[in-house]
Amino acid sequence: MARKIDADAIRQRSRDRYFETGRDKRLTQFIDKLRDNAKALQKGNGSHRRSLFVIGETGSGKTRSIKRILPLIQEWQPFYDPYGDRVMPLICIKPPKPCSMRALAIELLTAMSVPVRGRKTDPELYVFLKEQLRERGVKAIWIDEMQDVLRNNTPKAIQAVQDVLKALVQIEGWPIHTIYSGVPALATFLQGDRQLARRSYVMRYEPMEFPDDAEWIEKIVGEVILDDCGMTRADDTRTDVFREKLCRAAGGAFGSLVEIVQEACFRAADNGRAEVKLSDFSKVYEEMTGCTRRDNVFVAANWREIVSANALDDIAPPAKSRRGA
């Protein structure tokens, strides 16, 4: 008798999984640098590098890594002061859209539950923000998806935000440290302001490549299917060709690769199977990208020529010329 597959239990076990890699250790070291520098600055010395930029493609796992590490920094955890007020040393936000100097200040004040009263001018609002950060004991700020600042903003507006970021880590008598994470477009943010670059550390979340990362790819496939989901693998998921296809399907993004394997398991479980097959991966890839069969990395003959990001090119309208007709 075939054993019953509990698809819901498989989903829960699998999604609780976290693959710790050498990147986690390196990211922890960078964040420790910021924490230790704050202590040094309180003693009258320390480095001018008070920001960390974490840069990687979408799905590379950077956000989840940061979320996992920040709760381990004891000095940045919430606590109650002697008056019974809750102090939040760490603020986590995403930039508002569009992101101006004023919008960013309001977003940070909102995260501290500070109402913005009256019609303050931008300079007044910024002075108020710095006062509140110091008075409320904020030691660190994490802004995720920081590349959104660049979207639809003028060079002048972007420079204004860059000036705000530099000033945040220079509040008199209160050394705040900042973390910014985003896709590679965020690199232009640093290239456009050398002062900001000189005050920052940068960590890259490099994409996975085959065959260099073949062992990691196999580890992810094996542990998700066998250990997390308690399922088995068909022979067509045990080859080097399959591992290379999987890496290409994920665009080399670590988190996306894990997600594809998980979703393949979920599909097999939903169909009452304990064995995960290549067909599960091809179907999941089709659903994720909207590709046709001839552009499906897992089954197409020319799969090495396929770019996942171009999956909808056959139905997407042509780009409009900026010069007009």
Side-chain angles (χ1 to χ4, degrees):
M1 179 184 293
R3 63 189 177 89
K4 185 177 180 181
I5 304 299
D6 188 339
D8 290 338
I10 285 174
R11 280 181 167 81
Q12 184 61 50
R13 288 199 306 270
S14 185
R15 285 173 174 160
D16 285 342
R17 153 74 72 171
Y18 184 87
F19 284 93
E20 188 167 353
T21 71
R23 299 183 310 182
D24 293 273
K25 181 177 180 181
R26 189 156 177 256
L27 180 59
T28 299
Q29 290 172 340
F30 271 120
I31 293 177
D32 282 344
K33 280 178 180 285
L34 300 185
R35 179 194 60 185
D36 294 343
N37 192 53
K39 294 178 180 178
L41 287 167
Q42 288 177 339
K43 297 178 181 178
N45 50 46
S47 170
H48 63 277
R49 293 189 185 272
R50 302 175 193 176
S51 297
L52 168 63
F53 283 76
V54 183
I55 301 174
E57 292 287 359
T58 297
S60 61
K62 56 190 180 298
T63 296
R64 194 174 183 199
S65 294
I66 295 171
K67 284 182 177 179
R68 183 172 180 268
I69 291 171
L70 288 181
L72 305 178
I73 308 300
Q74 191 58 43
E75 293 89 341
W76 295 353
Q77 301 316 301
F79 65 92
Y80 288 92
D81 65 17
Y83 303 100
D85 295 325
R86 192 167 188 259
V87 179
M88 297 177 61
L90 171 67
I91 291 178
C92 305
I93 67 167
K94 290 187 178 182
K97 300 176 184 179
C99 184
S100 63
M101 171 181 165
R102 182 176 186 84
L104 183 61
I106 292 174
E107 191 75 18
L108 288 167
L109 288 165
T110 300
M112 290 186 283
S113 300
V114 177
V116 181
R117 297 188 179 92
R119 294 180 176 273
K120 289 182 171 64
T121 64
D122 286 1
E124 289 172 340
L125 182 64
Y126 182 60
V127 169
F128 180 64
L129 170 64
K130 291 196 293 184
E131 291 173 350
Q132 290 299 312
L133 288 169
R134 182 171 54 245
E135 290 179 11
R136 292 173 182 268
V138 175
K139 296 181 178 179
I141 298 170
W142 171 33
I143 304 181
D144 194 18
E145 304 295 345
M146 190 63 189
Q147 76 281 348
D148 285 348
V149 171
L150 300 169
R151 193 169 298 158
N152 301 322
N153 251 340
T154 64
K156 182 177 180 180
I158 292 171
Q159 184 61 59
V161 174
Q162 289 169 321
D163 290 342
V164 169
L165 301 186
K166 287 182 291 187
L168 282 177
V169 295
Q170 294 179 306
I171 298 176
E172 187 68 30
W174 191 251
I176 288 178
H177 289 69
T178 53
I179 300 170
Y180 309 105
S181 52
V183 300
L186 185 55
T188 61
F189 200 84
L190 285 170
Q191 290 174 325
D193 192 317
R194 298 311 301 167
Q195 279 190 332
L196 184 60
R198 285 188 63 253
R199 297 170 185 175
S200 306
Y201 296 105
V202 179
M203 179 177 174
R204 298 187 184 198
Y205 266 50
E206 298 283 7
M208 302 177 76
E209 295 181 353
F210 188 90
D212 294 356
D213 295 302
E215 288 187 14
W216 258 110
I217 296 169
E218 177 60 23
K219 176 182 173 68
I220 292 169
V221 175
E223 292 192 11
V224 170
I225 295 177
L226 304 178
D227 299 346
D228 298 348
C229 299
M231 305 174 82
T232 59
R233 299 168 59 181
D235 289 343
D236 55 15
T237 69
R238 296 177 180 274
T239 67
D240 276 342
V241 170
F242 166 76
R243 285 183 277 273
E244 186 176 354
K245 287 181 176 181
L246 178 58
C247 186
R248 181 172 290 274
F254 191 97
S256 296
L257 194 146
V258 173
E259 182 187 14
I260 292 173
V261 180
Q262 290 174 333
E263 290 295 331
C265 292
F266 302 160
R267 182 177 187 275
D270 287 339
N271 284 282
R273 288 186 281 106
E275 183 182 56
V276 185
K277 305 176 182 179
L278 179 67
S279 59
D280 294 309
F281 286 90
S282 65
K283 188 62 176 177
V284 164
Y285 181 76
E286 175 191 322
E287 292 172 349
M288 286 181 166
T289 65
C291 71
T292 61
R293 185 172 178 81
R294 68 175 180 272
D295 290 324
N296 192 312
V297 169
F298 289 101
V299 296
N302 64 333
W303 59 272
R304 282 196 175 92
E305 301 171 14
I306 294 173
V307 178
S308 299
N310 299 338
L312 299 177
D313 279 5
D314 61 315
I315 60 173
K320 293 182 179 179
S321 171
R322 292 190 177 184
R323 295 184 180 182

